[in-house]
Amino acid sequence: MTDEFTTEIYYDDDADESVLADRTVAVLGYGSQGHAHAQNLADSGVDVIVGLRKGSSSRKEAEADGLEVATPVEAASRADTVSVLVPDTVQPAVYEAIEDELEAGDTLQFAHGFNIHYGQIEPDPEVNVTMVAPKSPGHLVRRTYKRGEGVPGLIAVYQDATGDAKEQALAYAKGVGCTRAGVIETSFQEETETDLFGEQAVLCGGVTELMKQGYETLVDAGYSPEMAYFECMNEMKLIVDLIYEGGLMEMWNSVSDTAEYGGLTRGKEVVDDDARENMEEVLRQVQDGEFAREWITENQTNRPSYKQLRQAEEDHDIEDVGGRLRELFAWGEQQKEEVPADD
Ligand code: NAD
Ligand code: MG
Ligand code: MG
Ligand code: MG
Ligand code: MG
């Protein structure tokens, strides 16, 4: 490995906020990302208007936060930059409603590339299409900004109609606080495919299957569910925290030599060449659009598989045992108190 990164990292000095000075930014949606982008941009001096449906329960919240609220159509019509921060599955319908409000030179801005990359939204070539994706849940985007810090982020340009789409994305990233921490440039394709693969194979899908399979293996062999829960689920956080702080070696250095030797030898037996081939198959389905088509159809048909899988997960024994143990042990309550309410 060289000590050079393959990509440049952009900081505050690389972004010129004046690029947004004469643009009004409409933030559509006031959820996890929306509330953070809208408030951070406004605090950074950007002219922001929040677009929400007439009956939306978020309207009061946005107004209480001192922001102007209009319908998505009105907000888009007044804006020069439209930031689409409603859930990915409803973005195509929201886009259809606001499409006619976009003029040549306007910017359509996303925090994830799914709908553009898989062709669910096809903007006019005269409109800029950009992405600013904070690599963090929205409440941390807001909380770190208020502390004078920021979370790292990605920028990407899919269409550059005005010649300064990248500068606009950098200015937006600065407005939400990301250039305080560092921003890297990617493409809609790379962001979408790596995001989907990561959450499916490793972060959300891989980790939960590993936990459940480990738990079931112990319980089926006659060990107590409580022990199995602690070993296969609860301790995961402690291990991941060490890796997050200092990489694999900090974790290996912190566990016993027995755990280290056992892990280094047996880990490969569990997550073996077959698992690697399965990962490659999951990646193929992301790359050739098979997963996207499946998920789009699922949403068009009232989510039958999604509902069934979600119910099975909720009904899994590990949820029951874990729920009761987390209630009993003092750390459960403590942890809840440590999580501050959303800004
Ligand atoms: P969310 O589910 O938290 O919030 C969506 C908001 O959209 C709701 O609060 C509501 O105000 C509005 N909304 C919901 N349904 C609507 C409808 N039918 N019409 C109009 N408005 C509606 O969404 P989110 O998690 O903030 O995701 C927004 C975007 O940010 C997505 O593209 C997502 O992939 C991306 N993203 C999210 C995170 C994250 O941590 N949540 C991180 C990076 C990127
Ligand atoms: Mg407009
Ligand atoms: Mg994702
Ligand atoms: Mg142990
Ligand atoms: Mg041990």
Side-chain angles (χ1 to χ4, degrees), residues 74-302:
E74 193 193 333
S77 117
R78 282 175 47 193
D80 311 284
T81 294
V82 179
S83 188
V84 186
L85 298 175
V86 297
D88 295 299
T89 48
V90 309
Q91 286 180 10
V94 169
Y95 176 74
E96 218 176 284
I98 61 131
E99 188 174 10
D100 291 345
E101 311 308 324
L102 295 170
E103 296 158 31
D106 278 358
T107 297
L108 195 59
Q109 149 65 35
F110 293 88
H112 177 42
F114 188 99
N115 287 298
I116 289 291
H117 179 55
Y118 293 115
Q120 299 306 292
I121 294 176
E122 293 177 312
D124 189 283
E126 294 191 329
V127 169
N128 295 320
V129 181
T130 60
M131 182 186 335
V132 175
K135 288 275 86 183
S136 154
H139 67 276
L140 287 180
V141 176
R142 180 59 184 155
R143 203 188 304 157
T144 53
Y145 180 93
K146 285 204 295 190
R147 284 205 305 256
E149 299 159 14
V151 299
L154 306 173
I155 58 160
V157 174
Y158 181 77
Q159 271 178 201
D160 185 0
T162 53
D164 71 345
K166 179 174 172 181
E167 286 69 28
Q168 288 187 37
L170 279 170
Y172 185 105
K174 188 175 191 173
V176 296
C178 288
T179 47
R180 292 172 178 175
V183 165
I184 61 176
E185 187 172 11
T186 181
S187 63
F188 273 65
Q189 177 187 2
E190 183 178 59
E191 185 275 338
T192 304
E193 294 178 358
T194 56
D195 184 73
L196 292 176
F197 174 80
E199 66 201 15
Q200 292 174 15
V202 182
L203 304 174
C204 307
V207 162
T208 52
E209 287 306 322
L210 198 60
M211 288 174 167
K212 286 183 289 181
Q213 297 277 353
Y215 172 89
E216 288 168 19
T217 301
L218 286 178
V219 172
D220 288 353
Y223 298 98
S224 80
E226 291 78 9
M227 289 296 291
Y229 166 76
F230 275 114
E231 282 301 332
C232 298
M233 191 183 241
N234 180 68
E235 282 192 42
M236 180 71 87
K237 174 173 164 43
L238 314 176
I239 294 299
V240 170
D241 280 351
L242 292 168
I243 297 172
Y244 181 81
E245 281 165 23
L248 297 175
M249 291 319 295
E250 173 151 330
M251 186 278 288
W252 291 128
N253 288 337
S254 301
V255 300
S256 68
D257 289 356
T258 309
E260 184 174 2
Y261 178 77
L264 288 170
T265 56
R266 269 45 174 191
K268 293 184 203 314
E269 285 184 25
V270 173
V271 185
D272 61 0
D273 290 347
D274 284 346
R276 172 59 177 264
E277 277 176 32
N278 294 337
M279 282 193 181
E280 285 165 3
E281 171 58 18
V282 166
L283 180 59
R284 181 195 65 74
Q285 293 177 25
V286 165
Q287 288 173 328
D288 68 13
E290 184 178 331
F291 171 77
R293 282 191 296 278
E294 178 183 321
W295 178 224
I296 290 161
T297 306
E298 183 70 13
N299 278 287
Q300 288 165 347
T301 52
N302 206 19

Side-chain angles (χ1 to χ4, degrees), residues 24-55:
T24 295
V25 177
V27 174
L28 307 185
Y30 206 67
S32 178
Q33 292 294 319
H35 90 286
H37 291 221
Q39 290 187 75
N40 291 6
L41 287 168
D43 289 352
S44 297
V46 177
D47 183 25
V48 172
I49 175 166
V50 177
L52 289 169
R53 289 166 298 172
K54 279 257 158 58

